[in-house]
């Protein structure tokens, strides 16, 4: 089969079995259209599995990648080809909107919701549930949470008129299975699906923090990151700059190494956070370094610093309106302590 070796050898091309290739060819020849609320059973389940493998949100994006990377032959009529080009671009654009908007929502939750995310493991642990029970009561009694959940719900409904929001969301914000029970429990206790989505995003943000960058990115690398965050995807960038896929992915892999991430979705979560939390991240890293390097004789000061950091992180760390408090916390502690003795040997 034409292109089979390419499919298996190119690191940036998804590895497919012959059966999967035949399946894609079959759906493409039938002119399959991705629907906003399509059934997950039967053949549609297979399409969702293919989307997960390609890390895309629609069957049309799969076709777009197959065509662009010349992975194998497809039999498409002109009308369906036009549909694929138009719809895949729409999905690329809507995915970018969903990623940035959901992260903005998650950066502006209330303090108590942030605390629930930090202590989410207690949601499914009978012995620890007492930790989160009062937090849940606070969330329910604070009208700010109801307003935020309602805004997220309206955003989801707006997207859902044309696009499959859950499929897109799960592609953009992939969380390890170990957290699934906790976020499902949060949805149940708060009677809110938006709470489940917000908790997913915030947990990924907590995993990504503090943001460590191996070196300063170049102007070209920053331009590429900004393009992916606000303008288009890899294929759009390759076309715009008339690059070969090999040249692009060699550059892109270097950026992944700089941010210590696995793929584009992780990269864009970190770079989105970097815009708002870089200063806090640097301060947080410096505080950790001070803790590691201080002498045992200053144990009391170190414990005070560690306690303050934990209180801040367990509270409102990922609330944009509060993020600058970390810097003032850092300044206050070292202004009141003997700096030379605290930062010793």
């Amino acid at each position: 089969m034409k292109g089979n070796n390419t499919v298996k050898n190119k690191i940036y091309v998804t590895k497919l079995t012959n059966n999967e290739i035949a399946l894609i060819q079959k759906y493409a020849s039938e002119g399959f259209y991705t629907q906003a609320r399509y059934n997950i059973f039967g053949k549609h389940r297979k399409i969702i599995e293919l989307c997960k493998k390609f890390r895309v949100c629609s069957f049309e994006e799969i076709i777009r990648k197959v065509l662009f990377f010349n992975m194998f032959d497809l039999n498409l009529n002109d009308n369906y080809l036009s549909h694929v080009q138009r719809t895949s671009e729409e999905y690329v654009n809507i995915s970018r909107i969903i990623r940035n908007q959901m992260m903005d929502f998650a950066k502006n939750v209330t303090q108590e919701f942030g605390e629930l995310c930090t202590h989410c493991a207690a949601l499914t642990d009978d012995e620890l549930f007492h930790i989160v029970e009062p937090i849940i009561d606070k969330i329910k009694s604070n009208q700010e949470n109801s307003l935020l959940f309602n805004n997220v719900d309206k955003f989801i409904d707006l997207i859902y008129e044309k696009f499959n929001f859950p499929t897109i969301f799960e592609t953009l914000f992939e969380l390890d299975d170990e957290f699934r029970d906790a976020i499902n429990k949060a949805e149940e206790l708060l009677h809110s699906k938006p709470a489940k989505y917000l908790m997913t995003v915030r947990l990924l943000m907590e995993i990504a923090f503090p943001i460590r960058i191996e070196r300063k990115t170049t102007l070209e690398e920053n331009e590429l990151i900004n393009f992916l965050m606000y303008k288009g995807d890899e294929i759009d960038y390759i076309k715009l700059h008339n690059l070969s896929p090999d040249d692009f992915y060699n550059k892109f892999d270097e950026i992944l190494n700089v941010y210590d991430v696995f793929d584009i979705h992780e990269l864009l979560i970190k770079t989105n956070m970097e815009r708002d939390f870089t200063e806090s991240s640097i301060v947080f890293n410096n505080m950790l370094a001070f803790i590691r390097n201080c002498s045992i004789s200053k144990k009391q000061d170190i414990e005070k610093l560690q306690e303050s950091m934990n209180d801040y992180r367990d509270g409102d760390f990922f609330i944009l309106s509060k993020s600058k408090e970390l810097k003032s916390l850092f300044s206050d502690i070292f202004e009141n302590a003997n700096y030379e003795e605290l930062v010793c040997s």
Side-chain angles (χ1 to χ4, degrees):
M1 181 177 293
K2 178 182 176 182
N4 204 17
N5 290 333
T6 301
V7 173
K8 292 182 179 180
N9 291 337
K10 292 294 186 181
I11 60 172
Y12 50 79
V13 176
T14 305
K15 294 181 180 180
L16 299 170
T17 66
N18 288 335
N19 286 339
E20 288 171 329
I21 292 173
L23 203 63
I24 293 171
Q25 290 174 322
K26 177 178 181 294
Y27 292 146
S29 66
E30 295 173 352
F32 182 86
Y33 278 47
T34 300
Q35 302 296 322
R37 298 177 184 268
Y38 57 85
N39 194 328
I40 65 171
F41 299 103
K43 69 176 184 179
H44 294 169
R45 182 188 295 274
K46 296 177 182 178
I47 291 175
I48 290 176
E49 290 172 355
L50 284 170
C51 287
K52 288 180 178 179
K53 192 163 189 177
F54 274 85
R55 297 301 302 277
V56 297
C57 308
S58 67
F59 182 70
E60 287 82 354
E61 290 172 277
I62 294 176
I63 299 301
R64 180 172 182 251
K65 284 198 169 185
V66 170
L67 292 173
F68 183 79
F69 294 116
N70 193 27
M71 295 168 64
F72 48 83
D73 288 334
L74 290 174
N75 181 23
L76 309 176
N77 62 48
D78 290 341
N79 288 337
Y80 187 64
L81 181 59
S82 296
H83 164 76
V84 166
Q85 292 172 338
R86 180 180 66 257
T87 303
S88 60
E89 289 177 1
E90 289 177 348
Y91 268 92
V92 169
N93 289 333
I94 204 67
S95 296
R96 184 170 62 253
I97 291 170
I98 290 173
R99 177 191 289 110
N100 292 337
Q101 183 60 62
M102 290 304 298
M103 290 197 69
D104 283 346
F105 280 137
K107 291 172 189 172
N108 289 283
V109 299
T110 60
Q111 176 173 329
E112 57 267 19
F113 189 85
E115 291 174 353
L116 181 64
C117 294
T118 300
H119 299 294
C120 68
L123 285 167
T124 54
D125 189 320
D126 291 340
E127 295 183 359
L128 298 177
F129 186 76
H130 68 278
I131 297 174
V132 294
E133 195 167 16
I135 300 175
I136 293 170
D137 291 338
K138 288 181 183 178
I139 293 173
K140 290 180 177 180
S141 63
N142 188 341
Q143 287 300 312
E144 287 186 44
N145 294 300
S146 298
L147 179 61
L148 177 60
F149 295 162
N150 187 49
N151 287 337
V152 174
D153 205 28
K154 288 180 179 178
F155 175 72
I156 293 171
D157 284 343
L158 180 64
I159 300 298
Y160 226 157
E161 290 181 5
K162 189 173 182 180
F163 303 95
N164 191 306
F165 182 87
T167 299
I168 298 174
F169 182 88
E170 290 172 12
T171 301
L172 302 177
F173 301 105
E174 186 177 19
L175 196 60
D176 291 344
D177 289 340
E178 63 182 288
F179 295 106
R180 292 194 181 277
D181 288 343
I183 61 175
N184 288 335
K185 191 67 175 179
E187 177 187 4
E188 175 189 336
L189 293 172
L190 296 172
H191 309 291
S192 170
K193 188 170 287 293
K196 173 181 177 178
Y197 289 126
L198 287 172
M199 179 172 283
T200 298
V201 178
R202 286 183 59 84
L203 288 175
L204 287 169
M205 290 168 62
E206 290 202 14
I207 291 169
F209 188 87
I211 302 166
R212 296 182 177 89
I213 303 174
E214 295 297 320
R215 60 165 174 78
K216 187 176 181 179
T217 50
T218 66
L219 289 175
E220 183 181 11
E221 289 169 337
N222 285 332
E223 190 267 339
L224 171 55
I225 292 170
N226 286 331
F227 185 93
L228 295 175
M229 185 175 291
Y230 301 115
K231 297 180 180 179
D233 67 354
E234 313 98 297
I235 293 177
D236 293 326
Y237 189 88
I238 291 170
K239 287 180 178 179
L240 178 64
H241 294 277
N242 196 27
L243 299 172
S244 73
D246 286 328
D247 286 341
F248 171 82
Y249 281 99
N250 285 336
K251 295 178 181 179
F252 187 68
D253 286 345
E254 180 60 29
I255 296 176
L256 296 183
N257 292 332
V258 171
Y259 280 87
D260 189 26
V261 292
F262 177 72
D263 62 13
I264 185 173
H265 300 295
E266 285 188 67
L267 173 68
L268 293 178
I269 288 173
K270 270 200 173 182
T271 51
N272 185 296
M273 289 178 64
E274 185 186 5
R275 265 77 174 154
D276 298 309
F277 296 121
T278 294
E279 183 177 54
S280 295
S281 190
I282 291 171
V283 171
F284 202 92
N285 275 318
N286 286 342
M287 293 169 82
L288 289 174
F290 286 133
I291 289 174
R292 287 194 298 268
N293 295 328
C294 283
S295 67
I296 298 177
S297 64
K298 289 299 174 183
K299 182 179 178 181
Q300 185 175 358
D301 291 325
I302 301 307
E303 288 178 349
K304 179 182 177 182
L305 176 58
Q306 183 70 65
E307 182 180 352
S308 298
M309 291 174 67
N310 289 339
D311 286 345
Y312 188 81
R313 187 165 191 174
D314 290 349
D316 47 26
F317 176 69
F318 287 116
I319 302 174
L320 280 180
S321 62
K322 301 284 187 177
S323 62
K324 291 184 179 180
E325 289 183 8
L326 183 60
K327 184 176 181 181
S328 62
L329 166 67
F330 177 81
S331 301
D332 291 344
I333 289 173
F334 287 96
E335 182 179 344
N336 296 329
N338 186 321
Y339 185 89
E340 294 298 329
E341 291 182 355
L342 189 58
V343 187
C344 52
S345 57

